[in-house]
């Protein structure tokens, strides 16, 4: 059995190795680069360049429907301050998100298992890095996209999932405090729930509602659990609703989509989702089987749970995570199905894809020793290190063509010394960001 200090050093070394591979392999991944050239993904660097390089004003901006104020803007600002190149900023932001994900998985795991929380968090981070980079190279994923690559991107709703990890960490910390020490953690929970829903209202659907539902199920099953309390049940939901409703008072130029539910279009939404999942299951059968098995176990856990021989509270929390992940997946899929003016895709289904690996790894950490978890992480690192991306680098690859087109346009603009222009929404941000802020473009509505 390794000592705690040696385990901590080994965990940090494995995570650092994974981040180095991420930094090295990220730029050569053309399908991933194509996603990063999307106007949606370049919203934050364009905003920061305008505010701090060109003297723009926030009040003049028509922000994206989800303004992504926290944590996306905060984390990207750190990358923007320390790196001048947009490409370096994007990679630095990806690293920050992976590290943040690992840290808060560690906090959650430490409250759900008595051992190996650090090794479990590192294993989850390495797994998501492998899936995000490796599966991003498969051209057949073009129809469905790669949900696991979203851990590298900004302004694609991954921040809302990271906030779920943060809030659950605070919830478990709150539950373990003495009664007279709970108020500070509850206040932090309320503030984060408010800011989260203000930044991205999908937080209400993916976390606040499912969290309240899972707590009610927990109350019916375990009346003596420290996790259940009325403040925990009510506070995140109330302050999430308050944050969502505060959008109109905080954001100057409102761009949030109204919620539209048209009965006549529901069939189209269901068809799209059915085809999406069908394509995903055909293209990623191992992941599909795993997801089906996981949610089957999560559903069964509502009715049956084996008694723990050690810490009943920690066992109860594992069960709570299973139930919460199931309810979160259901509310997310239902919301995506019935809101007819919302396009479906991986970015709206992040909890569905990410919670199963996280919870499974936490459960495995209760059974396996840390050295075995480290061995699995190292095997994944070796797979990532020696698996060369199968990128088709000629112009027949749409992702390569897009990267080359942007480079060509940017070089011409820099050579000609242009400073102002007009472009469509999808072209304006990539060109503006990769010219280093020297060009100010007016976005038009047409694509």
């Amino acid at each position: 059995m390794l000592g705690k200090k040696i385990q901590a050093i080994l965990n940090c070394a494995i995570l650092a190795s994974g981040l180095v591979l991420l930094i090295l392999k990220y730029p050569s991944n053309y399908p991933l680069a194509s996603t990063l050239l999307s106007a949606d993904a370049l919203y934050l660097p364009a905003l920061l360049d305008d505010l701090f390089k060109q003297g723009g004003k926030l009040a003049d901006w028509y922000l994206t429907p989800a303004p992504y104020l926290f944590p996306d803007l905060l984390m990207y600002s750190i990358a923007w301050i320390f790196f001048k190149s947009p490409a370096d900023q994007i990679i630095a932001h990806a690293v920050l998100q992976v590290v943040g994900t690992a840290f808060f998985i560690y906090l959650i795991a430490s409250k759900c298992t008595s051992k190996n929380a650090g090794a479990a968090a590192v294993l989850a981070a390495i797994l998501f890095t492998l899936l995000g980079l490796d599966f991003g190279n498969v051209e057949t994923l073009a129809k469905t996209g790669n949900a696991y690559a979203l851990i590298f991107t900004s302004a694609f709703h991954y921040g809302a999932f990271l906030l779920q990890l943060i809030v659950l960490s605070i919830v478990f910390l709150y539950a373990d405090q003495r009664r007279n020490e709970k108020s500070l953690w509850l206040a932090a929970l309320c503030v984060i729930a408010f800011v989260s829903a203000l930044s991205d209202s999908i937080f209400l659907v993916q976390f606040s509602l499912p969290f309240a539902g899972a707590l009610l199920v927990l109350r019916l099953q375990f009346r003596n659990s420290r996790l259940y309390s009325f403040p925990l049940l009510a506070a995140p939901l109330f302050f999430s609703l308050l944050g969502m409703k505060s959008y109109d008072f905080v954001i100057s130029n409102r761009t949030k989509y109204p919620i539209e539910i048209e009965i006549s279009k529901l069939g189209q939404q269901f068809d799209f989702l059915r085809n999406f999942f069908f394509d995903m299951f055909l293209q990623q059968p191992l992941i599909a089987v795993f997801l089906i098995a996981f949610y089957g176990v999560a559903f069964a856990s509502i009715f049956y749970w084996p008694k723990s021989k050690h810490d009943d509270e920690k066992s109860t929390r594992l069960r709570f995570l299973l139930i919460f992940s199931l309810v979160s997946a259901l509310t997310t899929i239902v919301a995506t199905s019935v809101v007819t003016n919302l396009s479906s895709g991986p970015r709206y289904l992040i909890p569905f894809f990410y919670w199963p690996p996280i919870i499974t790894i936490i459960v495995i950490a209760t059974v396996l020793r840390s050295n075995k978890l480290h061995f699995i992480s190292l095997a994944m690192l070796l797979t990532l290190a020696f698996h060369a991306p199968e990128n088709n680098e000629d112009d027949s690859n749409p992702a390569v063509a897009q990267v080359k087109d942007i480079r060509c346009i940017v070089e011409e603009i820099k050579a000609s010394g242009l400073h102002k222009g007009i472009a469509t929404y999808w072209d304006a941000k990539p060109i503006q960001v990769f010219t280093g802020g020297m060009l100010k473009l007016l976005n038009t509505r047409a694509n």
Side-chain angles (χ1 to χ4, degrees):
M1 185 96 177
L2 295 174
K4 290 185 178 180
K5 288 186 178 180
I6 296 177
Q7 282 193 43
I9 293 172
L10 191 55
N11 288 335
C12 292
I14 293 173
L15 180 59
S17 301
L19 296 176
V20 169
L21 288 174
L22 170 60
I23 294 169
L24 293 175
K25 286 185 171 286
Y26 205 160
S28 65
N29 191 310
Y30 280 104
L32 207 52
S34 178
T35 301
L36 294 172
L37 290 175
S38 163
D40 290 343
L42 294 174
Y43 151 65
L44 291 178
L47 173 64
L48 292 170
D49 282 348
D50 182 68
L51 295 181
F52 298 107
K53 285 185 179 179
Q54 300 178 347
K57 297 179 180 179
L58 186 62
D60 295 334
W61 267 75
Y62 284 81
L63 304 177
T64 52
Y68 301 110
L69 302 175
F70 181 77
D72 300 74
L73 180 59
L74 175 62
M75 295 179 71
Y76 204 97
S77 295
I78 296 172
W80 190 89
I81 289 170
F82 286 98
F83 297 93
K84 293 183 179 180
S85 164
D88 292 340
Q89 293 168 8
I90 289 169
I91 295 173
H93 175 265
V95 168
L96 286 174
Q97 285 205 147
V98 173
V99 171
T101 300
F103 177 74
F104 289 106
I105 291 175
Y106 163 74
L107 290 182
I108 292 172
S110 65
K111 297 298 181 179
C112 296
T113 178
S114 301
K115 55 185 179 179
N116 303 332
V122 169
L123 176 57
I126 298 299
L127 174 62
F128 290 141
T129 302
L130 174 64
L131 292 175
L133 289 174
D134 188 37
F135 284 94
N137 294 315
V138 182
E139 293 182 6
T140 53
L141 292 178
K143 290 183 179 180
T144 61
N146 180 10
Y148 297 107
L150 296 176
I151 193 173
F152 308 137
T153 59
S154 66
F156 264 65
H157 300 292
Y158 187 81
F161 179 75
L162 185 57
L163 285 166
Q164 292 185 38
L165 298 176
I166 294 172
V167 173
L168 279 175
S169 301
I170 295 174
V171 165
F172 291 149
L173 289 168
Y174 169 89
D176 288 340
Q177 303 302 312
R178 296 177 181 175
R179 181 168 297 181
N180 60 346
E181 298 174 345
K182 289 179 178 287
S183 56
L184 181 62
W185 293 107
L186 184 61
L189 185 63
C190 294
V191 171
I192 294 177
F194 176 86
V195 176
S196 301
L198 171 64
S199 300
D200 191 349
S201 56
I202 203 170
F203 179 82
L204 177 68
V205 174
Q206 293 183 347
F207 179 82
S208 300
L209 288 172
F211 179 77
L215 271 185
L216 288 174
V217 174
L218 184 72
R219 175 63 172 172
L220 295 174
Q221 299 284 348
F222 297 98
R223 293 184 177 274
N224 297 323
S225 173
R226 296 198 306 267
L227 190 58
Y228 177 86
S229 69
F230 181 76
L232 277 184
L233 177 68
L237 185 58
F238 174 78
F239 280 92
S240 294
L241 287 168
L242 189 62
M244 188 176 69
K245 291 297 183 182
S246 299
Y247 173 90
D248 291 340
F249 302 100
V250 176
I251 305 301
S252 301
N253 302 309
R254 302 173 188 88
T255 58
K256 181 181 286 188
Y257 299 131
I259 297 175
E260 295 180 3
I261 301 176
E262 297 182 31
I263 303 300
S264 60
K265 293 184 179 180
L266 287 180
Q268 297 177 12
Q269 290 290 97
F270 287 125
D271 288 342
F272 183 91
L273 274 175
R274 185 187 68 243
N275 292 334
F276 172 83
F277 284 114
F278 182 73
D279 289 338
M280 183 196 71
F281 291 158
L282 286 179
Q283 296 159 14
Q284 305 175 58
L286 292 178
I287 293 177
V289 170
F290 166 71
L291 292 175
I292 292 172
F294 175 86
Y295 285 113
V297 171
F299 179 76
S301 71
I302 298 175
F303 307 100
Y304 172 75
W305 188 254
K307 292 184 178 181
S308 173
K309 297 180 181 179
H310 305 289
D311 191 332
D312 287 336
E313 182 63 24
K314 290 182 181 289
S315 176
T316 300
R317 291 179 184 184
L318 280 175
R319 186 180 190 182
F320 169 78
L321 285 178
L322 278 168
I323 296 171
F324 165 75
S325 65
L326 174 65
V327 180
S328 179
L330 289 175
T331 56
T332 301
I333 292 172
V334 169
T336 307
S337 302
V338 301
V339 179
T340 52
N341 62 327
L342 180 68
S343 59
S344 299
R347 68 164 83 178
Y348 301 110
L349 301 169
I350 290 174
F352 174 83
F353 290 100
Y354 278 78
W355 274 121
I358 291 172
I359 297 173
T360 301
I361 289 172
I362 292 175
V363 172
I364 290 173
T366 65
V367 180
L368 297 183
R369 292 184 177 182
S370 60
N371 58 343
K372 293 184 179 179
L373 296 176
H374 291 146
F375 177 81
I376 298 172
S377 296
L378 289 171
M380 290 182 181
L381 282 177
L382 290 173
T383 301
L384 184 58
F386 292 103
H387 179 71
E390 297 177 359
N391 285 317
N392 177 12
E393 299 191 19
D394 60 43
D395 291 338
S396 63
N397 185 332
V400 176
Q402 183 182 8
V403 172
K404 290 184 176 180
D405 287 346
I406 294 296
R407 285 177 181 169
C408 181
I409 293 171
V410 168
E411 289 172 2
E412 287 295 323
I413 289 173
K414 287 183 176 180
S416 61
L418 295 174
H419 296 287
K420 294 182 180 179
I422 299 174
T424 66
Y425 171 81
W426 298 108
D427 292 329
K429 285 186 175 64
I431 295 172
Q432 186 170 339
V433 168
F434 286 97
T435 52
M438 65 172 284
L439 180 66
K440 181 172 285 190
L441 289 171
L442 175 67
N443 292 358
T444 63
R445 290 182 179 271
N447 289 346

